[in-house]
Amino acid sequence: MSRQPPTSSTARSRTGASAKSARRPGAGAWVPPVQDLADLTAAARACQGCELFAEATQTVFGSGPSPARLMLVGEQPGDREDRAGIPFVGPAGGVLDRALSAARLDRSQLYLTNAVKHFRHADRGKRRLHRTPSAGQINACRPWLEAELARVRPELVVLLGATAGRAIYGPEFRIGPVRGVLQPAPDRFPTAHVLVTVHPSAVLRAEDTEAAFAGLVADLEVAAKALG
Ligand code: URA
Ligand code: SF4
């Protein structure tokens, strides 16, 4: 796919400021003005708003109905999602599916997306190891998340882990104090409430997997209850 030159003034002024910002103009220039979800999804395939597009297989955009009452935001696609082009189809997706059904939430009714739409990784032989997206990459990709929020207009947004939290609240965000408690959404987001919980992959890494899973389910039950 040919490179679409950034057109917004922000993108223009940032381009050329340094080698790094030239590679990271931000997704804004690729977000189409007409924000039909199908148009957004199609346009995101061409995004070169940061350097992550170059080493990933494809853009993994959000998926699910629109509008949707509930939107879940993860971190970024993993190895399996990168190959499939669909969010949460790998091991973390398995945990999420089990937690959603334990909390009686129907995955087919919610919109599921990630803060960053390309897989950041390091190559180690044949393996591709996950790397946490940087603040600059989260920032570059935010226009897609904002466009999804504007289109899907969820009543509740569940942030799965710190990266999703940083995408909404900024780089200083920490999960601890707000976990599992309904928060009013920040002004610029067209949604009623936000709920923060851990990322499903944290359940896989936890020493006590059962307790960690129960904690994720308890938070998702708060979400289910809020939606009535
Ligand atoms: N982890 C995420 O945050 N998102 C995915 O889609 C898969 C794993
Ligand atoms: Fe664009 Fe986001 Fe992919 Fe970067 S990670 S190229 S901003 S879609």
Side-chain angles (χ1 to χ4, degrees):
M1 195 114 23
S2 66
R3 193 181 198 284
Q4 217 177 300
T7 50
S8 79
S9 56
T10 324
R12 263 202 307 275
S13 65
R14 283 190 192 154
T15 306
S18 72
K20 196 176 224 173
S21 61
R23 288 187 300 133
R24 198 181 289 158
W30 281 268
V31 178
V34 179
Q35 298 194 343
D36 181 77
L37 197 59
D39 294 340
L40 281 184
T41 309
R45 290 191 198 114
C47 186
Q48 299 188 4
C50 76
E51 67 275 33
L52 292 182
F53 81 92
E55 285 171 22
T57 309
Q58 57 190 317
T59 306
V60 180
F61 208 66
S63 95
S66 176
R69 295 185 67 204
L70 177 59
M71 178 159 155
L72 264 55
V73 184
E75 181 194 63
Q76 63 167 358
D79 179 70
R80 293 270 294 279
E81 291 79 14
D82 172 77
R83 296 175 203 278
I86 304 165
F88 285 104
V89 292
V95 173
L96 181 62
D97 284 346
R98 288 196 297 282
L100 286 170
S101 48
R104 298 178 189 275
L105 287 165
D106 182 351
R107 176 164 167 163
S108 72
Q109 299 290 305
L110 54 87
Y111 188 84
L112 190 52
T113 193
N114 284 302
V116 169
K117 299 333 191 221
H118 276 108
F119 176 35
R120 185 183 195 201
H121 61 278
D123 289 313
R124 292 284 178 280
K126 282 189 188 154
R127 297 184 61 210
R128 302 191 300 167
L129 300 186
H130 165 274
R131 291 184 68 201
T132 302
S134 70
Q137 291 157 348
I138 295 169
N139 201 34
C141 211
R142 188 183 297 107
W144 290 121
L145 183 60
E146 288 180 350
E148 287 173 297
L149 281 163
R151 187 69 218 156
V152 176
R153 298 196 72 80
E155 286 167 43
L156 178 61
V157 180
V158 172
L159 303 176
L160 300 167
T163 296
R166 287 181 192 129
I168 300 292
Y169 292 107
E172 302 307 318
F173 173 83
R174 297 286 175 273
I175 294 179
V178 289
R179 175 172 180 183
V181 183
L182 280 185
Q183 307 290 318
D187 287 349
R188 65 189 197 287
F189 291 105
T191 182
H193 284 96
V194 174
L195 184 84
V196 177
T197 186
V198 292
H199 192 281
S201 67
V203 172
L204 293 170
R205 287 194 308 267
E207 255 173 54
D208 186 343
T209 313
E210 260 180 55
F213 181 76
L216 175 59
V217 171
D219 293 343
L220 292 175
E221 282 170 342
V222 174
K225 196 169 168 210
L227 291 171

